[in-house]
Amino acid sequence: MPKILIVGAGYAGFYTAWKLEKILRKSEAEVTIVDPLPYMTYQPFLPEIAAGSIEARHAVVGHRSHLKRTRIISGKVVGIDHKKKTATIVPNAGKEFAEKYDQVIFTAGAVSRTFPIPGIADNAIGLKTIEEAVAIRDRILSNFDKAAQLPAGPERDRLLTVTVVGGGFAGIEVFAELRSLASDLIKDYPELTFEDTHFHLIEAMGRIMPEVSLETSKWVLNNLAERGAQVHLDTQLQSAENGLIQLSTGEKFESDLIIWTAGVMANPMLRATDFPLDERGRLRVRADLRVEGDKGVIEGAWGAGDATACPDLSGGGVGGYCVPNAQHAVRQGKLMARNVAAVIRGEGPTDYFHKNLGAVAGLGLNIGVFQSGKLALKGYIAWLAHRGYHGLAMPSFERKFRVVGGWWNNFWLGRDIVSLEARETPRAAFEEFASRPAPAAAKVAAKPAAKKAPAKKPAAKK
C-alpha cells in the first residue's frame, strides 16, 4: 500500500487524516500522522478559555478518540529529505528513527512571531496553545486573590494590570474577554473596585481588526473604552523588562500579565526540509495544494494551513495568498484528503477556492461583532452569531455537545472562578510533608561509639 505521512495534527492535519479515513478503502493506503501533542486545539475558543467561559478540555479533539484507522506517532518530525522520501522523527519516548513515505503532507502550522523587544521573551505569554490560555486564566484569577490582600498601591496595581500586544482578531478577543472576566470578578472581591483594574492594548497600526470595516472597528474601540479598557493606537512597545511597560509615546506602567498576539510565522521546522520556501519561510504550494518548485510541481509533496503560501483564487487574500486562519486550514484539510486520494487513484487534483463570507468575534459575555460585506452586526445578536458559528464548527458531535453544555451551565451557574495555578507544582504539598531517609552523615553521628575492650594485665613474673 502507498504510505501517506502527515506532518502536524492541527486543523489542516487532523481534518486531512479524518477525511482520508472516510474516503480511502482499508487496503488503499496506510496513513500516519505525527505530532508531539495528543490532540488538536480549536484555537478560536482560546480567548473564551482564558476568560473561563469554556472548559479547556472541551476545546481540544483527541487524536486517538477520532482517528481510528490512522497510525499515530507522538513526536516531532525534525527533518525531511524528499529526494529520498524519508522523514526523521524524534518520538516523545524512544530513539530517533527514519520514516519512509510515498506521499508527504506538511501541515505543521504556525508559531508566534515575536521581535527582539527587551523583556518579551522573559515576561510575556502567547495565545497559540491551550496551555497558554489556561495559564492566562489562572494567572488573572490568582492575581485577584493576591491583590485582595494588599493595600492600594503600586504592587496591587501591577497585579491588576493586563497588557495585550497586537490588535488583530486574537488580541482584541482575548483583551475584551479578560475585561469581561475582570468586571465579573469584582462582585466576588469586596476589597477591590472596578477602578483598581487596568487594561491596556498596544497596536502599532492606526486601527484594530483589519478584517472588519473601519466603522465596525471604531465601534469596538468605543465599546472597549466604555468598559474601562484603553487601546493605544500608533504605538509601539519598546520594553517590557521586569514587567515595566515602556511605550513609544513615553508612557510607562507596570503589568504582571503581558499577552503577545502580534502575528505568527510558519513553523521553523520547514528549514530542515528540502522543500521550496518563499521569502517569509512559508512552503510554496499551488492552488491544488501540491508543493511547487522552480521547475514545477514536486510529486508526492503537499502542504496546507498556516505554514503555506497558498494562492487565494477568490482575490481576497493579503498579497494574493490565503491568510493564516482556521477557515482556510479546515477547508484545505478536507480538500487535501480528496486530492491525495484522487492522485492515488490516478485522477487529477482540484484547486482550492474559498470566498470569505465574513468575520465574527466575541468581545466578552453578550457582546460581539459580525461583518459580512457591508452588513455589520454588533452587540448581543453578533455575540449569538459568534457562538452559533463556532459551536457548529467545532469538530465532532461529542465536542459540540461538551462546549454547548458548558455554555448552558455557565448561563445558570456563572463562570467557575477557581484558579488551578498550583497545578504547575503538583508535588509541592506531598514533598513538604514526605518523610525522607536520614542523611548518611547524620547516621554516622547518631551511631553510638564502640566500647573499647579492657586492657589485659601483664602476666605476673615468677
Side-chain angles (χ1 to χ4, degrees), residues 411-432:
F411 177 77
W412 298 104
L413 306 175
R415 311 183 211 226
D416 192 331
I417 61 170
V418 176
S419 170
L420 296 178
E421 195 169 31
R423 80 196 185 288
E424 296 180 5
T425 53
R427 296 186 64 252
F430 179 81
E431 287 181 314
E432 182 179 357

Side-chain angles (χ1 to χ4, degrees), residues 294-369:
D294 294 334
K295 297 181 180 180
V297 171
I298 297 177
E299 296 297 335
W302 307 76
D306 295 356
T308 63
C310 178
D312 188 343
L313 300 183
S314 73
V318 178
Y321 296 102
C322 296
V323 296
N325 63 25
Q327 287 189 42
H328 286 305
V330 169
R331 289 171 173 82
Q332 288 175 4
K334 294 177 180 179
L335 177 66
M336 177 76 76
R338 294 194 295 270
N339 280 354
V340 172
V343 168
I344 290 175
R345 294 166 181 170
E347 302 168 4
T350 303
D351 285 347
Y352 173 73
F353 179 89
H354 171 66
K355 186 173 179 60
N356 188 9
L357 299 178
V360 62
L363 303 175
L365 287 180
N366 304 319
I367 305 172
V369 291

Side-chain angles (χ1 to χ4, degrees), residues 51-67:
S53 295
I54 294 178
E55 167 58 36
R57 289 181 184 272
H58 297 171
V60 298
V61 182
H63 297 151
R64 295 186 183 275
S65 298
H66 297 85
L67 300 177

Side-chain angles (χ1 to χ4, degrees), residues 83-137:
K83 290 181 181 178
K84 298 180 180 179
K85 291 197 171 181
T86 302
T88 303
I89 299 175
V90 177
N92 292 349
K95 297 182 179 180
E96 176 181 300
F97 64 93
E99 179 77 11
K100 288 285 187 179
Y101 62 80
D102 297 294
Q103 305 281 338
V104 64
I105 301 169
F106 193 91
T107 53
V111 299
S112 294
R113 180 194 62 185
T114 59
F115 304 103
I117 300 172
I120 284 297
D122 299 321
N123 300 298
I125 186 170
L127 191 67
K128 286 288 292 178
T129 69
I130 200 81
E131 294 81 6
E132 289 173 326
V134 172
I136 291 170
R137 173 186 178 274

